[in-house]
């Protein structure tokens, strides 16, 4: 019998779960998947099984009293990870223990289960649901002995094991199983930010420096997809700091570059704040278009308010042929309806889209809509920081629009965004007689000597025009 390498890991095949587990499931570990009915335990186990099953490293999937094998296979066909060939070649074998458990209880279950293990010599064993044994045990002592025998026998055969069950917090504290197992992964669902969401948490995993946070996940035709920005979005050190220092970008907008002095350092995130009608969306759209037309920098525009078609139409009115750049693959506009926003899912989507395009200019319209369902200001701050981290890692320039309430003295919707970003451009308007005048102000820009004060602007065909022709730069 082989000796298991304690550092060897099994990839789960679940998006971002291996990062949460700091490399995957340790080989030979016994792990409990705990959660209420419908939380996703069985799908997760099946996904891991189909990812890893081969004729040489087979999977034994025991069904107890959960659902018959025929029903399981019928539902499995809807998932992209399902591969019927793995059933045909013996890579995965489903075994129904329901009949013997219904008639004989847990007394003969151990012998039957281990008989199949000795026959097939699997690399992986899954029991769904193990909670049944706790329900059928005649005493706490019988359950302890049964759990111990199962664990010792499976460890002896060096099987990596998943035990599924509808275990709750009290079970974690009182069930003798949890003093034996190597890992506990909890799946649950509850309301957060006004939505019913699913969460996964690695409570325990011996020999692993795993994330202990709750992470949201969805169940799709791909199976489980875990969204863990606290793990997957981390600020990276510059590969060559000396080459990055001093690298700055010109915006390409008429006289705005004069206000910005040396330019915006690459890796910076800029908050573009203003009430409705001050020109935030047009500023972001021009920033993206001029980046390509003047500096050959690819750009991406994430919109949570205007559809792609409306943004293209608005650009056309301003005289910007943004559609041709989209067709060439230089600019991408992605529209996500407010009702469809899932913050952690779309954070990772934005990261992947930026990296795929190689975008150096990133616009988000608007950041306030993106996090509008989040009630906790600290979580808002964290999500804006993660957006900024995506920009910094891409070494691009990001502009995040934010709506501020009429008549307020704030410079952001939630009052925390400006503490995270590198700069703030403030757009305001004032009523002068029967006419409303617009103004722009570089409110903040880290490590940059910029021009202070408000400057009158006009929005005309061609873009935003700053009317103050005499601009004096602040001294360094």
């Amino acid at each position: 019998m082989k000796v298991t390498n304690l550092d060897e890991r099994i990839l789960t095949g679940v998006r971002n779960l291996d990062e949460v587990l700091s490399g995957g499931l340790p080989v030979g570990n016994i792990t409990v998947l705990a959660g209420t009915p419908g939380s996703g335990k069985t799908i997760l186990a099946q996904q891991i099984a189909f990812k890893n099953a081969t004729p040489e490293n087979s999977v034994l999937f025991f069904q107890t009293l959960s659902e018959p094998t025929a029903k399981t296979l019928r539902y499995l066909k809807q998932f992209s990870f399902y591969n019927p060939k793995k059933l045909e070649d013996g890579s995965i074998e489903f075994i129904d223990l329901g009949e013997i458990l219904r008639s004989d209880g847990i007394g003969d279950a151990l012998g039957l289960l281990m008989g199949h293990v000795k026959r097939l010599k699997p690399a992986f064993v899954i029991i769904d649901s193990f909670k049944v044994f706790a329900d059928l045990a005649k005493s706490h002592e019988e359950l302890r002995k049964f759990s111990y025998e199962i664990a010792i026998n499976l460890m002896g055969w060096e099987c990596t094991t998943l035990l599924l069950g509808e275990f709750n917090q009290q079970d974690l504290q009182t069930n003798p199983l949890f003093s034996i197992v190597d890992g506990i992964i909890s799946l649950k669902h509850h309301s957060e930010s006004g939505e019913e969401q699913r969460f996964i948490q690695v409570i325990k995993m011996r020999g692993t420096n795993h994330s202990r946070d709750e992470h949201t996940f969805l169940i799709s035709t791909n199976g489980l997809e875990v969204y863990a920005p606290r793990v997957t979005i981390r600020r990276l050190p510059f590969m060559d700091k000396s080459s990055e220092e001093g690298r700055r970008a010109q915006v390409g907008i008429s006289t705005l570059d004069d206000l910005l002095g040396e330019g915006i350092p690459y890796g910076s995130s800029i908050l573009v704040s203003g009430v409705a009608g001050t020109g935030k969306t047009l500023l972001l759209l021009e920033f993206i278009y001029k980046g390509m037309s003047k500096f050959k920098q690819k750009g991406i525009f994430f919109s949570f308010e205007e559809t792609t078609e409306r943004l293209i139409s608005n650009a056309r009115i301003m005289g910007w042929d943004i559609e041709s750049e989209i067709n060439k693959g230089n600019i991408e506009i992605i529209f996500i309806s407010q009702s469809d926003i899932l913050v952690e899912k779309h954070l990772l989507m934005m990261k992947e889209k930026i990296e795929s395009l190689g975008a150096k200019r990133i616009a988000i319209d608007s950041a306030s809509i993106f996090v509008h369902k989040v009630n906790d200001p600290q979580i808002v701050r964290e999500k804006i920081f993660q957006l900024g981290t995506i920009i910094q890692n891409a070494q691009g320039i990001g502009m995040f629009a934010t709506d501020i309430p009429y008549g307020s003295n704030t410079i952001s919707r939630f009052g925390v965004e400006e503490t995270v970003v590198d700069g703030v451009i403030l757009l305001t308007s004032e009523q002068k007689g029967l006419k409303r005048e617009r103004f722009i102000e570089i409110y903040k820009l880290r490590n940059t000597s910029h021009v202070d004060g408000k400057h009158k602007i006009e929005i005309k065909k061609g873009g935003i025009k700053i009317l103050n022709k005499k601009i004096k730069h602040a001294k360094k």
Side-chain angles (χ1 to χ4, degrees), residues 134-405:
D135 296 336
L136 295 177
K138 297 176 182 177
S139 67
H140 196 72
E141 183 59 33
E142 183 183 27
L143 175 61
R144 179 183 291 276
K145 181 179 179 181
F146 178 82
S147 300
Y148 181 78
E149 291 294 332
I150 284 281
I152 291 299
N153 276 277
L154 292 176
M155 284 190 289
W157 283 90
E158 297 190 358
C159 297
T160 303
T161 305
L162 295 179
L163 306 178
L164 284 59
E166 298 76 29
F167 299 106
N168 55 36
Q169 188 61 39
Q170 184 178 358
D171 292 320
L172 297 183
Q173 296 170 355
T174 61
N175 192 312
L177 171 68
F178 295 100
S179 63
I180 299 170
V181 299
D182 304 292
I184 303 171
I185 299 176
S186 171
L187 293 90
K188 62 187 76 171
H189 45 81
H190 56 77
S191 181
E192 185 169 294
S193 301
E195 289 187 343
E196 191 70 19
Q197 298 188 45
R198 298 178 183 271
F199 296 88
I200 189 168
Q201 182 181 19
V202 181
I203 296 174
K204 167 186 175 182
M205 192 63 65
R206 285 185 184 139
T208 301
N209 184 25
H210 58 84
S211 167
R212 286 161 174 77
D213 294 322
E214 283 189 347
H215 301 285
T216 57
F217 73 92
L218 293 178
I219 297 176
S220 69
T221 55
N222 294 322
L224 267 71
E225 297 184 67
V226 176
Y227 305 110
R230 290 178 182 173
V231 174
T232 57
I233 301 176
R234 291 177 172 169
R235 298 211 168 189
L236 304 174
F238 295 147
M239 296 299 293
D240 182 359
K241 289 186 177 181
S242 62
S243 66
E244 298 295 341
E245 290 173 359
R247 292 188 64 234
R248 293 173 180 267
Q250 299 295 302
V251 176
I253 297 176
S254 174
T255 65
L256 177 56
D257 287 318
D258 293 330
L259 296 181
L260 292 168
E262 306 164 275
I264 302 174
Y266 281 98
S268 296
S269 300
I270 310 297
L271 199 66
V272 179
S273 301
V275 299
T278 50
K280 299 184 299 297
T281 299
L282 278 176
L283 175 59
L284 267 59
L285 202 56
E286 187 171 359
F287 163 70
I288 294 294
Y289 177 71
K290 294 290 177 65
M292 190 62 224
S293 62
K294 288 190 173 184
F295 306 109
K296 304 303 179 186
Q297 293 180 335
K298 290 185 176 183
I300 191 163
F301 194 114
F302 297 101
S303 175
F304 302 103
E305 300 190 47
E306 300 278 2
T307 64
T308 300
E309 292 74 22
R310 287 193 66 176
L311 288 170
I312 291 173
S313 176
N314 292 342
R316 190 181 299 118
I317 291 170
M318 299 301 293
W320 308 327
D321 188 12
I322 205 168
E323 191 169 14
S324 66
E325 298 296 347
I326 292 172
N327 294 334
K328 293 174 186 175
N330 296 324
I331 290 176
E332 192 169 351
I333 297 177
I334 297 173
F335 169 68
I336 301 164
S337 173
Q338 295 181 29
S339 59
D340 295 332
I341 294 172
L342 293 171
V343 174
E344 297 206 337
K345 171 185 177 181
H346 289 120
L347 269 171
L348 293 185
M349 179 274 287
M350 286 189 272
K351 174 180 179 289
E352 292 166 357
K353 291 288 186 180
I354 290 166
E355 292 173 351
S356 175
L357 184 64
K360 289 299 178 184
R361 297 199 173 206
I362 300 97
I364 298 174
D365 188 22
S366 68
S368 52
I369 293 296
F370 179 59
V371 294
H372 77 284
K373 295 178 184 177
V374 180
N375 298 319
D376 187 343
Q378 292 307 312
I379 300 298
V380 170
R381 189 183 189 282
E382 178 185 53
K383 298 311 168 188
I384 299 299
F385 178 81
Q386 288 167 350
L387 283 174
T389 296
I390 293 171
I391 304 301
Q392 179 172 303
N393 290 348
Q395 277 301 286
I397 303 295
M399 286 198 176
F400 310 156
T402 183
D403 300 303
I404 54 179

Side-chain angles (χ1 to χ4, degrees), residues 71-86:
K71 187 176 180 181
T72 296
L73 295 177
R74 186 166 70 248
Y75 283 117
L76 261 174
K77 293 177 182 178
Q78 67 183 301
F79 295 106
S80 60
F81 62 77
Y82 173 67
N83 183 352
K85 291 182 179 179
K86 295 200 173 190

Side-chain angles (χ1 to χ4, degrees), residues 404-420:
I404 54 179
Y406 279 103
S408 72
N409 293 320
T410 61
I411 59 172
S412 65
R413 167 63 65 174
F414 300 98
V416 296
E417 302 94 309
E418 64 270 24
T419 65
V420 180

